[in-house]
Amino acid sequence: MRVCGLMSGTSLDGLDIAIVDFSGDAEQVSHELKHFVTMPYTEELTAQLFQLMDPLAPVNKVSSMNMYLGELYAQLIKESLIDSEIDYESIDLISSHGQTIWHEPTADQERLYARPNTMQIGDISALAEYSRKPVIGDFRTRDMAAGGQGAPLVPFADQVLFQSKSNGRVLVNIGGIANITVMAPSTHTQNVIAYDTGPGNMIIDAFVFKHSEGKQSYDSNGDLASSGVVHEEWLDELMRHEYFSYPAPKSTGRELFGTSYADALWSQGDDYGLSSVDKIATVTMFTAKSLAREIQKHIQTHDLKEVFVSGGGVHNKTLMNHLQVLLPTQIDVKASEAIGMNSDAKEAFVFALLGYLGFHKKPNNHPSTTGATRQTILGKIAW
């Protein structure tokens, strides 16, 4: 089956499109990435999506954007193939993560109608209609209904595809939020552990945007961070964030580390008298240190030897260097290309795999990483 996997993450800057050929099942799945591209959003669309992250966003705008994104995704898939060797008609299934605008994995027990909840927009029925393809999507809600946090879902694929017989591995994804999948060698008995470690690029990007007065949206190669000085006292304060004390499995997003938090941190940097590049340097180290600290917890129990990084953060050389220095010398930090996975394509690829399995009625969640009470089949289908 040829599956088109779609992923739009917390950066809100574009749609990742991965075309993957699959055969077999979760016990022995064969795969080949045939095509990958990121189709950027317009600045206006990104700004509109940011506004919808607000809990007070008008419900009519959320509902309308839900339908619009379904239409847009179909258009972007077709545009992404114009200069490729992929025939649009050869795609058998579209598997869409959708655009997360709200993720609340724990509910206020005092509120009668409160439940753990999550919302990804980009309506799959609209996408099916405009693409004329079957679409599977809305993966996270079934895991939540089964008692899980609806995240992280990537570790299921990490174990299926990348667990080693000889070395313990950590697969890291640094998107807006950073997350880890910790796997002992397959000959060991330890469970796979996976969770969001905290901020990834989200705060760094917000600071770069402020520093450049809107001219830059990310720190290319980590050049700005490398030109600044890390403020250790402020860094220690940042590392005391309450999220880091929560037990795994746990997940987070813009609700905790989004715009409001970034604005508050920028003001804190002013209180310390820091230049904007020193602020960027400090929050870059914040991401690296929060990641490294979590990885270190599992070195002995999971016999860790290797760390493979994917996501936008892999291109930030300063961040990658920090991560290598903060970890023991026996831990080797590399981009995920070292195990045959395109660093940028990984999440779209993973949702193609989850969609492939879900479409064939195969379980595709990992209860030990999401906290679900049982394994189940994630995804709704629009024919």
Side-chain angles (χ1 to χ4, degrees):
M1 173 175 266
R2 175 161 289 180
V3 184
C4 174
L6 305 181
M7 177 68 194
S8 181
T10 49
S11 60
L12 309 175
D13 56 0
L15 181 69
D16 291 344
I17 302 174
I19 310 292
V20 191
D21 288 348
F22 291 109
S23 60
D25 57 28
E27 299 302 318
Q28 192 171 3
V29 64
S30 298
H31 58 86
E32 183 180 0
L33 178 65
K34 305 297 290 186
H35 180 68
F36 173 74
V37 66
T38 298
M39 301 296 285
Y41 292 157
T42 63
E43 290 184 9
E44 181 181 2
L45 177 57
T46 296
Q48 289 291 317
L49 290 172
F50 268 116
Q51 291 179 21
L52 298 185
M53 303 291 168
D54 188 333
L56 299 179
V59 67
N60 64 319
K61 290 189 176 181
V62 174
S63 184
S64 179
M65 184 63 78
N66 178 47
M67 297 297 286
Y68 172 75
L69 288 182
E71 178 182 344
L72 178 67
Y73 288 175
Q75 175 187 329
L76 292 180
I77 294 169
K78 294 170 185 175
E79 290 179 0
S80 76
L81 299 178
I82 290 174
D83 294 321
S84 78
E85 297 179 356
I86 304 295
D87 180 2
Y88 179 76
E89 296 305 318
S90 71
I91 296 172
D92 301 305
L93 174 70
I94 296 171
S95 178
S96 177
H97 171 269
Q99 180 65 64
T100 299
I101 61 167
W102 188 254
H103 185 72
E104 189 177 11
T106 56
D108 181 357
Q109 299 299 319
E110 300 298 317
R111 289 164 46 215
L112 176 62
Y113 301 113
R115 296 290 185 276
N117 62 91
T118 187
M119 179 173 284
Q120 287 74 43
I121 59 175
D123 187 79
I124 62 171
S125 291
L127 176 52
E129 181 64 25
Y130 286 104
S131 67
R132 296 293 180 177
K133 304 284 184 182
V135 179
I136 185 168
D138 199 10
F139 293 95
R140 299 189 186 276
T141 51
R142 182 64 181 271
D143 186 82
M144 279 190 163
Q149 295 214 350
L153 300 184
V154 171
F156 175 87
D158 286 342
Q159 183 177 23
V160 169
L161 301 175
F162 302 119
Q163 189 170 29
S164 167
K165 292 182 179 179
S166 56
N167 291 336
R169 289 177 168 177
V170 181
L171 272 64
V172 176
N173 188 76
I174 309 177
I177 295 296
N179 56 67
I180 58 173
T181 302
V182 184
M183 298 181 291
S186 58
T187 53
H188 290 212
T189 57
Q190 288 91 342
N191 283 333
V192 173
I193 297 173
Y195 53 95
D196 291 344
T197 60
N201 302 315
M202 192 175 289
I203 302 169
I204 301 169
D205 292 350
F207 276 28
V208 170
F209 190 83
K210 288 178 179 291
H211 164 75
S212 66
E213 297 181 342
K215 296 175 184 176
Q216 292 176 253
S217 58
Y218 65 96
D219 187 6
S220 179
N221 298 317
D223 292 340
L224 292 172
S226 68
S227 68
V229 177
V230 175
H231 192 281
E232 295 295 341
E233 180 183 351
W234 187 30
L235 177 62
D236 289 343
E237 180 182 346
L238 297 177
M239 291 298 297
R240 291 193 289 271
H241 192 287
E242 64 178 358
Y243 179 77
F244 304 132
S245 66
Y246 298 164
K250 57 183 179 179
S251 57
T252 188
R254 287 193 175 275
E255 297 72 34
L256 205 57
F257 294 108
T259 303
S260 297
Y261 182 69
D263 289 344
L265 293 196
W266 185 266
S267 297
Q268 285 181 20
D270 289 336
D271 294 339
Y272 280 108
L274 302 185
S275 68
S276 57
V277 291
D278 289 348
K279 294 178 190 178
I280 294 168
T282 302
V283 297
T284 300
M285 180 60 82
F286 179 35
T287 289
K289 193 168 184 177
S290 57
L291 254 173
R293 188 167 71 176
E294 296 303 320
I295 292 170
Q296 287 168 333
K297 292 178 180 179
H298 310 292
I299 290 175
Q300 298 302 320
T301 57
H302 287 68
D303 193 20
L304 299 182
K305 298 290 193 301
E306 302 169 310
V307 173
F308 298 102
V309 184
S310 60
V314 77
H315 303 295
N316 186 322
K317 294 178 181 178
T318 302
L319 177 56
M320 292 287 284
N321 289 338
H322 286 335
L323 188 58
Q324 180 68 80
V325 169
L326 289 166
L327 291 171
T329 55
Q330 73 267 25
I331 304 293
D332 198 10
V333 178
K334 297 178 180 179
S336 65
E337 275 78 3
I339 50 173
M341 174 55 65
N342 181 311
S343 298
D344 297 315
K346 184 185 174 186
E347 286 199 299
F349 174 97
V350 165
F351 279 94
L353 173 62
L354 297 182
Y356 169 73
L357 294 173
F359 189 83
H360 287 95
K361 303 178 184 177
K362 302 295 184 182
N364 54 359
N365 73 326
H366 213 315
S368 70
T369 63
T370 67
T373 57
R374 68 185 187 92
Q375 194 170 45
T376 186
I377 301 171
L378 312 182
K380 302 170 185 173
I381 298 174
W383 297 100

